[in-house]
Amino acid sequence: MDANSPTVLVSGANRGVGLALVQEFAGHGWNVLASARSPEAAPELAALARANPRIVPEALDVTSVASMQALAARIRGRPLDLLFNNAAVLGDRHDLGNRRQQLGGLDEALFDRVMKTNVYGPLKLAETLVDNVLASRQKKIVTLSSGLGSLAMMGAMSRFYYYQMSKAALNMGLRALRHDLRPRGITVAILAPGLVKTDLLAESGYTGEALSAAQSAAGLYRLVERLTIDDPGLPINVDGRVIPW
Ligand SMILES: NC(=O)c1ccc[n+]([C@@H]2O[C@H](COP(=O)([O-])OP(=O)(O)OC[C@H]3O[C@@H](n4cnc5c(N)ncnc54)[C@H](OP(=O)(O)O)[C@@H]3O)[C@@H](O)[C@H]2O)c1
């Protein structure tokens, strides 16, 4: 870790967009707290950390407040220029004949898991680490939403009720967070990574064109760089276009 460089904390940094964000930010000279549920079982992340001392794996389960508090205790007093809420779950694989978030099979336990991970997790993590963000120069909180959370863009897709609902609810929660943190100089932004070739996209059953995780992370990095406190707080896709609510 280099005290003169900015620091980002990424959730869900062991695979997918999160792992690519670790590489992207580290490549631009950032210190990266790369958090994962089980960093000891994350070989790709471990390899990145071995190759670059600015990358430090951390344990964090965003469904566990105890896990958040333990992380906060480990990094108490350390400025966090950017909290990057990336971790989320889709909840179901399309190909398993699972209808746990579709009409006819609605499942309460799955609802709780998707909502807790995708909605409560990012908000509670922001609350838990707000002092670290306040102590930094850049003071940014970025959370990944999705076009699937857009009511305006809602088309035929109704396969993932909870995931879709979770991202719509997340957008509202982030607007409330933005409202409350703006007076303290913190920029709260809602970004979307685009369609990205990851496990989550494969689980959704989508097989069309998609970005690589590295392409998405590079675009997200550019958006983060440009963010200011005057950011309008609208969901911005990785290509810079606003996603209608
Ligand atoms: N891929 C796309 O096309 C796409 C499109 C729109 C939005 N997004 C959003 O982009 C973000 C990244 O998605 P992705 O495609 O990279 O997904 P992914 O490949 O499924 O990776 C999800 C990451 O989240 C982590 N995670 C899940 N539950 C967690 C928990 N309780 N605590 C900590 N980490 C947890 C996973 O860790 P484990 O390995 O431990 O499960 C994994 O590292 C998500 O917010 C997603 O909604 C993705």
Side-chain angles (χ1 to χ4, degrees):
M1 293 267 163
D2 174 353
N4 296 316
S5 299
T7 299
V8 58
L9 185 138
V10 180
S11 64
N14 54 307
R15 58 190 170 97
V17 175
L19 185 68
L21 286 168
V22 171
Q23 288 177 279
E24 182 68 24
F25 278 87
H28 288 277
W30 285 57
N31 302 312
V32 184
L33 299 173
S35 73
R37 274 198 273 212
S38 311
E40 69 288 351
E44 289 172 271
L45 179 56
L48 290 180
R50 273 195 301 277
N52 185 342
R54 286 171 192 258
I55 300 174
V56 177
E58 289 284 352
L60 175 66
D61 180 339
V62 302
T63 61
S64 160
V65 173
S67 169
M68 293 183 200
Q69 287 171 345
L71 172 65
R74 292 197 298 278
I75 64 169
R76 184 159 294 132
R78 175 119 46 103
L80 261 192
D81 292 87
L82 172 61
L83 165 60
F84 205 122
N85 281 310
N86 161 78
V89 289
L90 181 65
D92 257 338
R93 285 196 67 94
H94 79 288
D95 54 354
L96 297 181
N98 235 324
R99 300 182 65 87
R100 291 183 300 158
Q101 52 179 321
Q102 291 178 43
L103 197 63
L106 294 175
D107 179 274
E108 187 178 356
L110 184 67
F111 176 83
D112 289 347
R113 187 163 81 86
V114 173
M115 287 298 182
K116 196 166 180 188
T117 309
N118 297 2
V119 186
Y120 188 69
L123 292 177
K124 189 66 185 175
L125 189 60
E127 181 187 76
T128 307
L129 298 178
V130 72
D131 287 341
N132 300 78
V133 176
L134 273 172
S136 75
R137 290 206 190 100
Q138 297 198 24
K139 299 184 181 50
K140 293 172 182 170
I141 298 175
V142 165
T143 305
L144 290 188
S145 188
S146 165
L148 285 181
S150 162
L151 274 80
M153 285 166 53
M154 174 69 191
M157 170 65 89
S158 62
R159 218 190 267 154
F160 302 104
Y161 279 27
Y162 304 156
Y163 182 79
Q164 294 170 259
M165 292 161 69
S166 76
K167 294 297 186 177
L170 175 66
N171 288 344
M172 180 57 88
L174 292 169
R175 281 305 287 249
L177 186 72
R178 175 179 184 272
H179 178 267
D180 288 342
L181 291 183
R182 199 171 189 276
R184 297 163 79 179
I186 296 181
T187 302
V188 174
I190 310 170
L191 302 182
L195 285 166
V196 194
K197 284 176 220 145
T198 63
D199 296 339
L200 186 146
L201 194 68
E203 287 165 21
S204 79
Y206 177 86
T207 53
E209 283 290 294
L211 301 173
S212 69
Q215 287 171 322
S216 176
L220 291 168
Y221 179 83
R222 284 192 291 275
L223 291 179
V224 168
E225 245 191 333
R226 275 189 248 135
L227 279 179
T228 69
I229 194 77
D230 296 320
D231 175 75
L234 300 169
I236 308 286
N237 194 37
V238 68
D239 59 10
R241 283 191 230 161
V242 173
I243 299 174
W245 294 113

